[in-house]
Amino acid sequence: CLDSNGKVHEFSSKWRTEDCHDCSCYRDGIQCCSSFATPVGYDEKKCVKIFDKETCTYKVVEKHDSSKECPVHGWVG
C-alpha cells in the first residue's frame, strides 16, 4: 500500500499518522480512521478545546485560565 505521503506499507500492517489517524493496509487498499474523540456538549463561551498531537487527545479548558478544565458532556469520534 502507498500512503498519501508516498510511504510504502506491507499488507496487514498498521500505523498511526502524524495527524493522529490509525491506518491499516489491505490487499484492496488502505483504511484510516481518527484515533481520537472530539469533545461536544461543553460551555463554548467559557471554554476552548485544545488538541495535543503528542497524545492524540483533546482537553477542554477555560479560555481565561487554561489550568482549569471544563466539564464535557459528550465525545464524538
Side-chain angles (χ1 to χ4, degrees):
C1 297
L2 186 64
D3 70 18
S4 60
N5 295 323
K7 184 174 179 183
V8 176
H9 299 271
E10 293 183 18
F11 292 130
S12 301
S13 65
K14 296 181 180 188
W15 67 96
R16 179 167 284 175
T17 66
E18 288 182 10
D19 60 347
C20 296
H21 285 80
D22 289 330
C23 298
S24 299
C25 172
Y26 302 100
R27 291 201 178 273
D28 58 349
I30 294 174
Q31 183 177 22
C32 297
C33 62
S34 62
S35 63
F36 55 89
T38 302
V40 294
Y42 62 92
D43 185 345
E44 293 186 32
K45 291 180 183 176
K46 180 181 175 185
C47 305
V48 64
K49 63 183 177 183
I50 299 173
F51 189 71
D52 182 346
K53 272 192 153 187
E54 299 252 338
T55 62
C56 295
T57 59
Y58 276 104
K59 72 177 184 176
V60 179
V61 296
E62 290 186 8
K63 289 179 181 178
H64 301 294
D65 185 355
S66 61
S67 69
K68 294 182 181 177
E69 290 198 31
C70 296
V72 178
H73 302 290
W75 295 87
V76 177

